[in-house]
Amino acid sequence: MASALTRLLDIVPAPGEPRRKDWSEAERNLGIALPADYKELIRVYGGSNWDDYLYVLEPDCPNDNYDLIDWAANQAEDLEDLWEFEKKPAELETEGSRVIPWATTDNGECLYWLLLPGREADQWTVMVNEARGDRWEHFSVSCTQFLASSLDGELKSNILSSLFPRSAHESRQLGPA
């Protein structure tokens, strides 16, 4: 079976030059190692917009609005406040579990990695949270698998826009705002 990145490249060719990252700096700032498939996704596509809807976050993104490190810090704080009023998803009831954002949408939905105790970064799965509500979805796939499977129609989220994905796919690297 082809890797998720190979599937993505078949769906949408890489939009530009490969991006080089200081992953040790990003991981030090986050306090965790990041999944290998995500690092490869960023190397090939960079922080990117998919079908004019979904934005993949990137550490030290040229567009400050989509910086992974900033999003992770802000979302952690926002979610802690949210749990005071809303029930946590069942996946987050395990002691030591948490989520870290890796993508967002133009509607404000957020896509997270689910980090569970004892699981390595390459075992993280995807959670999607609706923009203005308490609905969450869990997908037992990596972020790159989620993106490829969403674009090719294999995976369907009930939270993401019904207009995503488009029939003709496009990806563009994020540049300075």
Side-chain angles (χ1 to χ4, degrees):
M1 179 155 136
S3 77
L5 184 61
T6 301
R7 285 175 53 209
L8 267 181
L9 287 165
D10 287 343
I11 296 167
V12 180
E17 292 296 315
R19 293 238 173 117
R20 307 252 184 266
K21 287 285 155 193
D22 180 354
W23 290 108
S24 60
E25 174 77 12
E27 292 171 333
R28 187 172 56 256
N29 286 330
L30 290 169
I32 54 164
L34 290 166
D37 77 306
Y38 170 75
K39 292 176 186 178
E40 200 55 21
L41 175 65
I42 294 301
R43 184 187 68 75
V44 173
Y45 289 97
S48 46
N49 175 271
W50 295 82
D51 286 357
D52 205 28
Y53 173 71
L54 189 140
Y55 294 83
V56 173
L57 306 174
E58 175 184 6
D60 195 27
C61 186
N63 183 325
D64 293 340
N65 297 314
Y66 300 101
D67 182 79
L68 177 73
I69 309 303
D70 291 344
W71 269 82
N74 294 334
Q75 288 300 107
E77 190 174 300
D78 291 348
L79 288 174
E80 282 308 312
D81 292 342
L82 182 67
W83 302 144
E84 293 180 24
F85 305 101
E86 289 183 8
K87 184 171 174 24
K88 284 184 180 182
E91 294 85 357
L92 294 175
E93 290 297 332
T94 302
E95 183 70 31
S97 64
R98 64 182 176 136
V99 289
I100 294 178
W102 64 271
T104 188
T105 70
D106 65 356
N107 290 339
E109 293 89 7
C110 198
L111 290 77
Y112 296 91
W113 286 297
L114 173 62
L115 287 67
L116 295 173
R119 293 227 179 135
E120 298 297 319
D122 291 335
Q123 297 174 314
W124 296 349
T125 54
V126 172
M127 296 206 49
V128 178
N129 180 225
E130 71 180 327
R132 289 164 283 289
D134 61 359
R135 287 189 314 146
W136 288 78
E137 293 176 321
H138 179 243
F139 298 92
S140 294
V141 296
S142 72
C143 63
T144 307
Q145 289 170 320
F146 181 90
L147 187 54
S149 295
S150 293
L151 291 173
D152 73 9
E154 181 181 309
L155 183 148
K156 180 73 176 145
S157 167
N158 292 316
I159 291 176
L160 299 180
S161 172
S162 60
L163 301 176
F164 177 78
R166 292 180 172 176
S167 54
H169 303 297
E170 66 176 332
S171 173
R172 59 183 166 77
Q173 282 186 342
L174 300 174

